[in-house]
Amino acid sequence: MAFSGRDVALSFVGGFLAALIVSLVAGVVILQRSDARGLGHWKLNAKMPLATMWMNLGYWTRDDGSQVTTFEEATSNLLRQILLQADLISPRASPQRSIAILDVGFGCGDQTWALVKSIDPSTNYTDFRYIGLTLDEAQTETASRYIYSSVASSKAPCPDATAFKLFCADASVPKKWAGPVHREVEALKAFGEKWFLALDCIYYFSPSRRPIMDFSANRLGAGFMAFDLLMNPEASRKTALIARLIGVMMGCPFRTFLTQVEYERQLVDCGYPKEQIEIRDITEHVFPGIVRFLDAQDRALSQYGISLGGYKLAGRLFDWFGRSGALKAVIVVARAKGSMGDVSAASVET
């Protein structure tokens, strides 16, 4: 049976109109079922882009002892505590000619920019370089936009955008870095003061922390500063096993949670002088605060029909870590051999 051109055209138009009618009906149904008279329009009132995109467990106590209540303040406060312990923003800081930072797991740009504002390299140093490594491509792109925008809009003196290099790479395995990453990181050797920074991420490193510790100490000659989670040596075997299994569930290696003695030994084996290693227990300033915040945030969001999802479970786990005493939240600073803070090196020179 033959079809004329007119029949084909009519069939096409009829099909198009039928599809259009179905789409219109579906749209009307969706609109009628939407929460137009409820609270769903919060999405229209949310200010975009988001003001901050911090991500770490936070330090939930101010200098005066009062409790921090906002995520932005707590997370930036944790970075500040690390930099203070490393003497990078304290009165004891003694800036050298130049400074370089190798930051792993740098997030979405907030951490990078807060670090720059804290150490103020344009004022305190004659040269500055920042290399950031992360496994997340979306975070790399977001952080790049954030940094370029912040540099362009900054009214205070700040490093040029070319001082920042952000890469999507696995920081835990230096030998697998691509050529451009290796070249940029190796170039940090020329700087007078060098630091490796891992803010709330290094316990995820697989197979372990050792490769990046060894690289930082021996290839870069960089100081080491990190927020980390350690196993409490007084935890029972059962509690320790539960903590390790939770760690695996979180994506960590089974043996990632070391005791302080084991951690110090690993740093020493990688080349950091034992007398230059400082590990500070800040557990009481971390777990209770993040648990309080997640509970409060969950209650606040639930009013708008929003769930914290996996973060709610994370809150329960952090609560258990704190109450059971299985893990300790710590700040670790290890100075490189020959650094300005190395007492042994200073005594040799004199």
Side-chain angles (χ1 to χ4, degrees), residues 179-225:
V181 179
H182 254 298
R183 287 192 292 273
E184 290 291 347
V185 174
E186 291 280 349
L188 301 184
K189 293 179 180 179
F191 286 74
E193 185 173 356
K194 300 169 286 290
W195 284 95
F196 166 86
L197 171 63
L199 179 53
D200 196 11
C201 64
I202 200 168
Y203 46 87
Y204 288 105
F205 279 25
S206 180
S208 72
R209 304 168 182 81
R210 184 180 290 271
I212 192 63
M213 282 182 175
D214 181 73
F215 183 90
S216 298
N218 298 307
R219 292 290 294 274
L220 286 185
F224 179 94
M225 50 183 175

Side-chain angles (χ1 to χ4, degrees), residues 49-66:
L50 296 174
T52 63
M53 283 286 286
W54 280 94
M55 186 58 193
N56 63 60
L57 292 183
Y59 187 97
W60 296 85
T61 308
R62 299 188 181 95
D63 292 342
D64 62 4
S66 61

Side-chain angles (χ1 to χ4, degrees), residues 23 57-58 62 68 88 93 96 103 160 163 184 207 248 265 274 302-303 311 318 342:
S23 298
L57 292 183
R62 299 188 181 95
V68 174
L88 289 178
Q96 299 185 35
D103 186 2
D160 187 82
E184 290 291 347
V248 171
R265 184 183 303 125
K274 182 175 176 56
S302 65
Q303 299 179 52
Y311 295 112
F318 297 145
D342 190 332

Side-chain angles (χ1 to χ4, degrees), residues 85-86 194-196 213 216-217 221-226 263-264 267-268 271-279 331-337 339:
Q85 188 164 320
K194 300 169 286 290
W195 284 95
F196 166 86
M213 282 182 175
S216 298
F224 179 94
M225 50 183 175
Y263 202 103
E264 290 177 346
L267 283 168
V268 170
Y272 289 102
K274 182 175 176 56
E275 64 275 10
Q276 295 300 321
I277 299 172
E278 180 184 358
I279 298 179
I331 291 176
V332 183
V333 170
R335 302 181 191 282
K337 290 181 180 179
S339 67

